[in-house]
């Protein structure tokens, strides 16, 4: 082998950020900071970055080796302090400036942190510049390990933005995950993944904290909109398409086995499924920490992982990371009998995920599982150490690490991890703990190597600006929005709205009440004041229809509302008044009393609670946006016999029985631009979306369904005799029946398969038939008497 030599300046380009690029004929582009101290090593015609600045080519610096070989070499060179830093995943970081904050400088330099979670960014230009500055800092430290920046989903829409006006600048806009599911088309999800990965990499992001592939089997769960719905097969197909889209690099961008310079690691969540919180409550809060399985259906919740996320087709084989949920999967630990949060569970992580299903990628905890819980059970803030509240922080870290978890979300400092390491040394010895830490380091480093960051973590700022939110990507997102809209009702084919003689119709668009909002994180932010305002952008509506504020002058009414906001299921005020704090989560707009709720909760208990029974039977709640129901009914009264169309922005299933027969048409959307809805209404585009969940007949069936079982509610039947069941949707010709409905067809649940008390609809039907028969007999008898 030819002796490596240090290259001198080497046909490099210098930009304003003092970043130099080295192009090679048969190798990758090398990017490095001229101020980091890193130089270029030449071996024959190949060039490499001397990341540890020792003047020789080490295996981890050799891009000709596999990602795994390089990761193993680098892990062996790292100190325990450096590995502990690699196990950190930062708290949420807002990028408002190209310059690093004092905290960011500190945890990169002093705590060896290399995984940063980015939230909002001022602009794509600022994000690219910040990335270059942060990478230059990391490159000049120790072994030169680059940052692996990440993001939660960031492609949601600005509903009021006009499509053309929004093209270029902002990131492309797509429907929520539940909206992507409503397309019933995995190819759209894969297309989204390819586009989103290009935009992520242009922002300096190489890991997506998504997809969320929990089967949403309880319709009340507030994270329902981030899922692909309740059907395990549809969720698995969408998970596979998502992973392939984000992770697969093609042609010149590929390094090896699908991985490359446009790849984004995906972190599927939440193992082993987070959609079964008792009564629909969520485990971000202590009052929602229990996941229950009354239908004994635990295994089905693994389907999107086993048949989707772990079975990719684009070359990368499997999603590169997994995130367990906060929940305690109540009484599901078949080996040790522990009821602890999933990341703390040896059974869930080591026995099930690692050993039974052979997953050897990164496992990262959800954010904030370490730390003592807030004494106020209602608060979002505080640690979420469910089931291990009595352990110290280092003991919690140690328990999680020993169980096979690699990384901790929302932790910026490594001190407690180092203490956990010492606890392990005391119990198992130095060699055991060193090997355990290296095991995690190899997994974490592999994800950085396979995305090409060691060769070039830097961005061309102008190229980033031109890539993020370009018109092609915006158009693709808008097309997906159109395909996600579901038409539930179209009485007398009132839609599409088209006037004679090409004249514009006149619309009455009433304002809705926006209720006050409190800080969602339980902070000191003041609650926003409520206001009356249109939900739709009237400037965009006027591109399609004339607008009047006088119902008498209107040809039709367009009532835009949101799905019921039924709360989170708990109120500390109730505790102050002697109650247990628990309330139902309602999916209807009007007042609801939980007459059919459980007398005794399946799970319960928390250090600050006096009782383990979390039942809310016979308690009453009303959706915070109950005025949306009033708006529809009042509009019906004002319009008389003229058409009333309801456009509902929805995240969760909803009980529509309160107003369905008062409107002539219903469109449901899952996070789209107003313009997409108007394209459907005006007939420019035909609706094609399908319901990715059941729409319940009423709250009785919601209470009596099992939290862990899909498709076990009685679905609503409307005044047109259509059933709002999974995979239902209308187009201009009527009920959609195509290859999608055939592929995901399921047989309706029979009464004996429903929870024991959830057969009321069938009982009503039987009763109705008997009454009709009796009525017929009575009429015959009367006629005979008259004869």
């Amino acid at each position: 082998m030819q002796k490596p030599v240090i290259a001198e300046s080497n046909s490099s380009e210098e930009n304003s950020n003092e970043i130099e690029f080295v192009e090679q004929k048969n190798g990758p582009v090398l990017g490095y900071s001229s101020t980091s101290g890193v130089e270029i090593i030449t071996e024959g015609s190949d060039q490499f970055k001397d990341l540890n600045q020792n003047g020789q080519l080490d295996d981890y610096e050799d891009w000709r080796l596999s990602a795994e070989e390089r990761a193993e070499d680098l892990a062996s060179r790292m100190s325990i302090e450096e590995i502990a830093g690699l196990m950190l995943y930062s708290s949420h970081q807002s990028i408002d400036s190209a310059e690093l904050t004092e905290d960011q400088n500190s945890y990169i330099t002093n705590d060896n942190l290399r995984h940063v979670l980015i939230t909002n960014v001022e602009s794509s230009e600022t994000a690219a510049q910040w990335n270059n500055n942060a990478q230059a800092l990391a490159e000049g430290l120790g072994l030169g390990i680059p940052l692996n920046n990440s993001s939660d989903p960031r492609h949601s829409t600005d509903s009021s933005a006009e499509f053309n006006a929004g093209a270029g600048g902002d990131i492309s806009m797509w429907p929520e995950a539940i909206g992507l599911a409503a397309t019933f088309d995995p190819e759209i999800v894969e297309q989204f993944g390819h586009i989103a990965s290009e935009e992520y990499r242009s922002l300096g992001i190489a890991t997506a904290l998504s997809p969320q592939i929990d089967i949403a089997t309880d319709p009340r769960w507030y994270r329902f909109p981030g899922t692909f719905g309740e059907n395990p097969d549809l969720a698995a197909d969408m998970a596979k398409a998502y992973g392939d889209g984000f992770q697969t690099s093609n042609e010149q961008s590929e390094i090896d086995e699908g991985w490359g310079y446009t790849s984004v690691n995906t972190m599927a969540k939440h193992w082993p499924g987070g959609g079964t919180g008792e009564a629909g409550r969520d485990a971000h809060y202590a009052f929602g920490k229990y996941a229950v399985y009354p239908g004994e259906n635990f295994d089905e919740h693994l389907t999107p992982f086993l048949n989707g996320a772990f079975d990719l087709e684009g070359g990368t084989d499997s999603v590169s990371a997994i995130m367990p949920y906060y929940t305690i999967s109540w009484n599901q630990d078949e080996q040790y009998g522990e009821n602890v949060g999933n990341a703390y569970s040896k059974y869930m992580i080591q026995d099930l995920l690692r050993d039974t299903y052979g997953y050897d990628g990164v496992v990262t905890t959800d954010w904030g599982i370490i730390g003592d819980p807030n004494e106020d059970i209602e608060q979002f803030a505080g640690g979420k150490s469910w089931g291990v509240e009595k352990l110290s922080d280092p003991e919690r870290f140690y328990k999680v690490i020993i169980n096979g978890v690699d990384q901790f979300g929302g932790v910026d400092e490594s001190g407690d991890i180092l203490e956990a390491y010492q606890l392990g040394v005391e119990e198992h010895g130095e060699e055991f703990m060193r090997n355990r830490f290296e095991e995690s380091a190899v997994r974490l480093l592999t994800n950085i190597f396979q995305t090409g960051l060691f060769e070039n973590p830097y961005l061309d700022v102008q190229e980033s600006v031109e890539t993020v939110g370009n018109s092609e990507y915006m158009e693709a997102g808008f097309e997906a929005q159109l395909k996600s809209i579901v038409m539930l009702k179209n009485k007398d084919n009132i839609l599409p709205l088209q006037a004679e003689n090409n004249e514009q119709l006149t619309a009455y668009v009433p304002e809705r009440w926006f209720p006050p909002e409190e800080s969602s994180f339980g902070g000191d932010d003041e609650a926003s004041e409520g206001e009356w305002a249109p939900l739709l952008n009237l400037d965009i509506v006027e591109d399609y229809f004339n607008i009047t504020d006088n119902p008498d002058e209107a040809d039709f009414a367009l009532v835009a509302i949101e799905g019921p906001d039924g709360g989170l299921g708990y109120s500390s005020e109730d505790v102050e008044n002697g109650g247990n704090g628990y309330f139902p989560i309602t999916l209807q707009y009007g007042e609801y009393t939980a007459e059919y709720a459980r007398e005794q909760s399946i799970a319960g208990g928390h250090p600050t609670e006096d009782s383990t029974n979390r039942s809310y039977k016979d308690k009453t709640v009303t959706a915070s946006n109950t005025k949306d129901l009033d708006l529809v009914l009042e509009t019906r009264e004002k319009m008389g016999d003229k058409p009333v169309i309801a456009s509902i922005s929805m995240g969760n299933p909803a009980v529509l029985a309160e107003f369905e027969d008062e409107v002539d048409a219903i469109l449901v959307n899952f996070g789209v631009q107003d313009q997409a809805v108007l394209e459907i209404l005006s007939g420019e585009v035909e609706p094609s979306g399908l319901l990715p969940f059941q729409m319940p007949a009423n709250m009785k069936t919601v209470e009596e369904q099992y939290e862990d079982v899909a498709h076990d509610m009685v679905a609503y039947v409307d005044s047109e005799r259509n059933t709002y069941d999974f995979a239902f949707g209308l187009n201009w010709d009527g009920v959609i029946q195509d290859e999608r409905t055939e592929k995901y067809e399921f047989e309706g649940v029979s009464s004996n398969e429903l929870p024991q008390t959830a057969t009321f609809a069938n009982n009503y039907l039987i009763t109705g038939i008997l009454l009709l028969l009796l009525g017929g007999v009575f009429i015959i008898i009367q006629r005979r008497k008259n004869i």
Side-chain angles (χ1 to χ4, degrees), residues 87-331:
M87 299 171 89
L88 301 175
Y89 223 127
S90 83
S91 53
H92 297 71
Q93 302 296 305
S94 177
I95 308 302
D96 303 318
S97 166
E99 300 303 317
L100 277 67
T101 66
E102 185 176 333
D103 285 344
Q104 290 162 356
N105 266 294
S106 176
Y107 61 56
I108 292 172
T109 303
N110 301 322
D111 290 279
N112 301 294
L113 184 147
R114 292 297 181 271
H115 293 81
V116 178
L117 174 56
I118 294 174
T119 54
N120 58 298
V121 298
E122 184 181 81
S123 66
S124 54
E125 180 179 12
T126 300
Q129 291 170 339
W130 180 91
N131 171 81
N132 288 353
N133 290 332
Q135 295 290 7
L137 172 63
E139 186 176 73
L141 300 172
L143 295 162
I145 300 172
L147 301 182
N148 180 3
N149 301 323
S150 70
S151 174
D152 281 310
R154 59 191 313 114
H155 281 82
S156 57
T157 63
D158 175 357
S159 61
S160 65
E162 188 173 2
F163 164 60
N164 290 329
D170 294 324
I171 204 163
S172 60
M173 299 182 191
W174 299 72
E176 296 272 10
I178 195 66
L180 291 173
T183 69
F184 277 63
D185 188 349
E187 290 186 5
I188 290 176
V189 175
E190 185 168 354
Q191 179 194 33
F192 163 68
H194 284 304
I195 289 173
S197 65
E198 294 271 2
E199 293 182 306
Y200 272 29
R201 292 303 297 264
S202 295
L203 294 170
I205 295 167
T207 291
L209 301 187
S210 54
Q212 186 187 341
I213 58 176
D214 312 270
I215 307 174
T217 46
D218 192 288
R220 298 164 288 191
W221 189 30
Y222 87 75
R223 300 201 67 179
F224 199 114
T227 75
F228 293 125
E230 65 179 309
N231 184 277
D233 295 327
L234 178 61
D237 288 348
M238 295 303 194
K240 186 192 298 280
Y242 196 104
D244 280 332
F246 266 90
Q247 292 190 171
T248 307
S249 290
N250 298 306
E251 299 175 353
Q252 291 85 1
S253 296
E254 184 178 9
I255 298 172
D256 187 38
E257 295 183 335
W259 290 106
Y261 302 104
T262 58
S263 296
V264 170
N265 296 292
T266 54
M267 184 180 293
K269 55 190 186 183
H270 306 88
W271 179 268
T276 66
E278 185 163 17
R281 296 185 292 266
D282 182 72
H284 278 87
Y285 301 87
F287 58 75
K289 65 182 178 180
Y290 294 107
V292 296
Y293 297 85
E296 300 181 358
N297 201 38
F298 176 88
D299 288 346
E300 190 169 62
H301 286 261
L302 305 183
T303 300
F305 294 93
L306 305 184
N307 297 349
F310 298 168
D311 188 30
L312 304 185
E313 297 175 351
T316 62
D317 188 45
S318 172
V319 293
S320 60
I322 289 291
M323 180 187 292
Y325 206 37
Y326 299 111
T327 46
I328 295 172
S329 297
W330 185 252
N331 288 345

Side-chain angles (χ1 to χ4, degrees), residues 36-85:
S36 69
V38 167
E39 295 182 303
I40 298 299
I41 292 175
T42 298
E43 188 175 273
S45 61
D46 297 328
Q47 295 178 301
F48 310 86
K49 291 167 65 174
D50 183 18
L51 290 164
N52 59 7
Q53 304 179 40
N54 66 355
Q56 59 187 5
L57 179 62
D58 299 305
D59 282 353
Y60 85 92
E61 298 164 336
D62 189 345
W63 46 259
R64 297 168 300 188
L65 300 177
S66 70
E68 293 77 8
E69 290 173 307
R70 299 176 72 184
E72 288 172 3
D73 177 68
L74 179 52
S76 70
R77 299 171 185 272
M78 295 176 72
S79 67
I80 291 302
E81 288 75 16
E82 288 170 323
I83 296 176

Side-chain angles (χ1 to χ4, degrees), residues 264-512:
V264 170
N265 296 292
T266 54
M267 184 180 293
K269 55 190 186 183
H270 306 88
W271 179 268
T276 66
E278 185 163 17
R281 296 185 292 266
D282 182 72
H284 278 87
Y285 301 87
F287 58 75
K289 65 182 178 180
Y290 294 107
V292 296
Y293 297 85
E296 300 181 358
N297 201 38
F298 176 88
D299 288 346
E300 190 169 62
H301 286 261
L302 305 183
T303 300
F305 294 93
L306 305 184
N307 297 349
F310 298 168
D311 188 30
L312 304 185
E313 297 175 351
T316 62
D317 188 45
S318 172
V319 293
S320 60
I322 289 291
M323 180 187 292
Y325 206 37
Y326 299 111
T327 46
I328 295 172
S329 297
W330 185 252
N331 288 345
Q332 298 304 302
D333 181 347
E334 299 177 357
Q335 188 66 33
Y336 313 102
E338 281 192 308
N339 276 313
V340 293
N342 288 314
Y344 289 103
S345 171
K346 182 178 180 181
Y347 175 75
M348 294 297 170
I349 305 302
Q350 188 63 56
D351 292 19
L352 206 60
L353 180 60
R354 297 289 193 201
D355 296 341
T356 301
Y357 296 113
Y359 183 76
D360 195 36
V362 168
V363 177
T364 302
T365 73
D366 214 328
W367 262 237
I369 74 158
I370 305 294
D372 295 330
N374 195 308
E375 289 189 9
D376 183 352
I377 194 173
E378 192 173 18
Q379 292 301 315
F380 182 96
K384 304 171 196 318
S385 49
W386 310 144
V388 294
E389 290 91 347
K390 294 182 179 180
L391 298 181
S392 68
D393 284 1
E395 288 171 334
R396 291 168 187 156
F397 276 105
Y398 177 53
K399 183 174 177 62
V400 171
I401 291 168
I402 290 298
N403 290 345
V405 174
D406 305 299
Q407 197 173 32
F408 297 89
V411 181
D412 295 338
E413 299 178 350
S414 57
D416 284 336
I417 296 179
L418 294 174
E419 286 193 45
Y421 178 82
Q422 291 303 322
L423 291 176
V425 170
E426 292 171 12
E427 182 173 358
H428 297 288
E430 187 86 39
E431 182 180 1
F432 175 91
M433 285 305 293
R434 172 75 203 191
N435 290 338
R436 174 64 195 90
F437 267 49
E438 280 196 33
E439 183 179 50
S440 286
V442 169
R443 293 176 184 137
L444 292 161
L445 291 168
T446 297
N447 287 0
I448 306 177
F449 278 114
Q450 65 197 9
T451 50
L453 290 170
F454 275 87
E455 275 57 67
N456 181 24
Y458 299 101
L459 300 171
D460 180 315
V461 176
Q462 186 56 39
E463 187 176 315
S464 291
V465 171
E466 292 172 358
T467 298
V468 177
N470 67 53
S471 58
E472 178 187 347
Y473 293 171
M474 281 287 188
E475 184 177 356
F478 190 70
E479 287 296 317
Q481 293 178 45
L482 293 170
K483 292 177 180 178
S484 72
I485 296 173
V486 182
M487 183 165 70
L488 293 180
K489 184 176 182 180
N490 192 19
K491 183 180 179 182
D492 298 329
N493 294 321
I494 190 68
L495 299 181
L497 294 166
Q498 294 174 334
E500 297 179 2
N501 303 322
N502 294 320
E503 294 182 0
Q504 276 194 336
L505 295 172
T506 299
Y508 169 58
V509 186
E511 295 183 336
R512 76 181 287 267

Side-chain angles (χ1 to χ4, degrees), residues 215-219 229-233 276 295 297 300-301 692-694 705-713 725-726 746-747 749 753-755:
I215 307 174
T217 46
D218 192 288
E230 65 179 309
N231 184 277
D233 295 327
T276 66
N297 201 38
E300 190 169 62
H301 286 261
F693 48 68
Q694 291 183 300
Q705 55 88 37
Y706 288 154
E707 286 92 336
D708 59 323
V709 177
H711 310 309
D712 64 339
M713 293 190 295
D725 217 329
F726 174 76
F746 77 101
E747 294 184 4
V749 184
E753 293 173 314
L754 286 168

Side-chain angles (χ1 to χ4, degrees), residues 12-47:
S12 307
E13 250 178 50
E14 186 173 342
N15 62 23
S16 59
N17 292 309
E18 299 182 315
I19 307 303
E20 299 191 9
F21 297 97
V22 177
E23 295 188 4
Q24 307 184 72
K25 184 176 181 180
N26 297 313
V29 173
L30 306 180
Y32 67 102
S33 168
S34 61
T35 61
S36 69
V38 167
E39 295 182 303
I40 298 299
I41 292 175
T42 298
E43 188 175 273
S45 61
D46 297 328
Q47 295 178 301

